[in-house]
Amino acid sequence: MDGLADEIIEIADNESGDPARDRLRLDTRKWLMSKIAPKRWGDRLDLTHASPDGGAVQFITVYEAPKRKS
């Protein structure tokens, strides 16, 4: 994976005459890396709910007493 990452940097830094071909080469390597090692290189959405200190979120429900008519 690190070799492919190095190739991506090399391709991106190279000023060849065909940007479409370079884009295809980059995307192919990125796709391959995301499939072989998804935890490190894959697209990830962080959908975890945690408190600022990293612990569990505590839900508190507050009920208001109905207002009395005078």
Side-chain angles (χ1 to χ4, degrees):
M1 292 303 104
D2 291 330
L4 285 175
D6 290 339
E7 286 181 21
I8 287 173
I9 293 170
E10 185 179 321
I11 293 167
D13 290 343
N14 185 10
E15 296 181 15
S16 71
D18 191 357
R21 174 92 174 129
D22 290 345
R23 175 75 173 198
L24 176 63
R25 294 175 67 203
L26 290 171
D27 289 345
T28 301
R29 284 161 176 77
K30 289 190 305 186
W31 178 85
L32 183 62
M33 292 167 68
S34 74
K35 300 306 172 198
I36 293 173
K39 286 186 180 181
R40 182 169 180 198
W41 299 105
D43 296 330
R44 65 185 109 168
L45 298 173
D46 186 8
L47 301 176
T48 58
H49 292 18
S51 65
D53 65 356
V57 175
Q58 181 180 19
F59 292 95
I60 300 172
T61 304
V62 178
Y63 292 99
E64 291 185 25
K67 295 183 179 180
R68 298 176 74 186
K69 294 184 180 180
S70 358

